[in-house]
Amino acid sequence: SQELEQSPQSLIVQEGKNLTINCTSSKTLYGLYWYKQKYGEGLIFLMMLQKGGEEKSHEKITAKLDEKKQQSSLHITASQPSHAGIYLCGADIGSTNAGKSTFGDGTTLTVKP
Amino acid sequence: NAGVTQTPKFQVLKTGQSMTLQCAQDMNHEYMSWYRQDPGMGLRLIHYSVGAGITDQGEVPNGYNVSRSTTEDFPLRLLSAAPSQTSVYFCASSSSYTEQFFGPGTRLTVL
């Protein structure tokens, strides 16, 4: 989506290394979601951020929302092979959630043992 | 609680055939959506609904119809399948200020 850009498109890291994925909107964000997807499978919800400056963590994954920059980052600490997959950011752009979120094109993460 | 269910999981169609992808949710969510996922393109919104009897077009609605007669069900109809509609289709449901809950997907191939 051009309204929601993810970077990088793909990432290959050595097990144990940290990494960051970014998601940037060209318009005002009303909610930002991170999902993980294994190839050929459905989407697993990771985190939802709604307020500027909000930061949430789950196990070794931390997500932050910078409202001024209209950007969110997803940081994985000490990556493991189980972190491999496609990470998608989704956002409510222009209005609050009404089932019409916009999604980025995804970041494919490979973790080498 | 089954969450969001989709049927079928896999489908192969010939060009010109029609079919309906089924989606149901048991969480009493008011919002339901259909997305398609193509390689390297994330999820693109096809149609969405904010309640029973109310539907609207998303980013890529051409060639698809939807209806929402009940809160629980939101079927997606392909009127005359084309090879460009080969994709993975995801149905999702949500309430205000919650994340979208996704179904397992339907992998459609149009020959």
Side-chain angles (χ1 to χ4, degrees):
Chain A
S1 164
Q2 291 187 344
E3 287 186 324
L4 204 60
E5 289 200 12
Q6 271 186 251
S7 62
Q9 191 174 26
S10 63
L11 199 51
I12 301 173
V13 300
Q14 203 70 37
E15 183 176 358
K17 296 294 185 184
N18 303 336
L19 63 105
T20 300
I21 298 168
N22 292 305
C23 179
T24 304
S25 173
S26 58
K27 298 181 181 178
T28 303
L29 293 172
Y30 287 83
L32 194 290
Y33 314 91
W34 285 101
Y35 291 86
K36 180 186 174 186
Q37 185 180 30
K38 295 248 178 182
Y39 180 75
E41 298 181 11
L43 281 77
I44 301 167
F45 172 71
L46 296 175
M47 273 168 277
M48 175 172 68
L49 305 167
Q50 290 186 295
K51 300 175 184 176
E54 190 171 14
E55 179 175 323
K56 289 187 177 179
S57 294
H58 177 67
E59 297 181 342
K60 294 185 178 180
I61 301 176
T62 300
K64 300 179 185 179
L65 179 62
D66 186 327
E67 198 173 54
K68 287 183 181 178
K69 291 184 180 178
Q70 296 177 164
Q71 181 180 69
S72 178
S73 60
L74 185 82
H75 185 76
I76 298 177
T77 304
S79 58
Q80 301 168 356
S82 60
H83 288 129
I86 301 171
Y87 288 81
L88 289 160
C89 67
D92 301 323
I93 298 177
S95 66
T96 55
N97 176 23
K100 49 176 181 169
S101 298
T102 299
F103 284 83
D105 290 343
T107 295
T108 302
L109 172 64
T110 303
V111 179
K112 289 189 170 182
Chain B
N1 230 358
V4 180
T5 57
Q6 289 184 239
T7 56
K9 288 189 178 179
F10 301 94
Q11 184 70 48
V12 178
L13 293 177
K14 293 181 180 178
T15 296
Q17 286 185 315
S18 62
M19 80 158 296
T20 299
L21 306 185
Q22 300 292 345
C23 174
Q25 54 97 3
D26 61 359
M27 296 174 281
N28 202 31
H29 286 163
E30 61 264 45
Y31 307 134
M32 294 188 75
S33 314
W34 276 103
Y35 294 88
R36 60 178 286 174
Q37 185 177 36
D38 301 297
M41 297 187 72
L43 295 170
R44 291 184 292 169
L45 183 65
I46 304 171
H47 286 284
Y48 67 100
S49 169
V50 298
I54 306 169
T55 63
D56 205 348
Q57 295 181 353
E59 181 185 355
V60 288
N62 292 341
Y64 308 95
N65 271 356
V66 292
S67 60
R68 183 112 178 259
S69 56
T70 67
T71 300
E72 295 77 20
D73 300 298
F74 192 42
L76 178 72
R77 297 183 192 84
L78 279 70
L79 308 174
S80 177
S84 61
Q85 293 179 305
T86 293
S87 188
V88 181
Y89 291 84
F90 288 100
C91 178
S93 74
S94 61
S95 287
S96 299
Y97 305 108
T98 72
E99 75 275 19
Q100 289 189 305
F101 292 77
F102 284 86
T106 294
R107 191 173 293 272
L108 175 68
T109 301
V110 182
L111 302 175

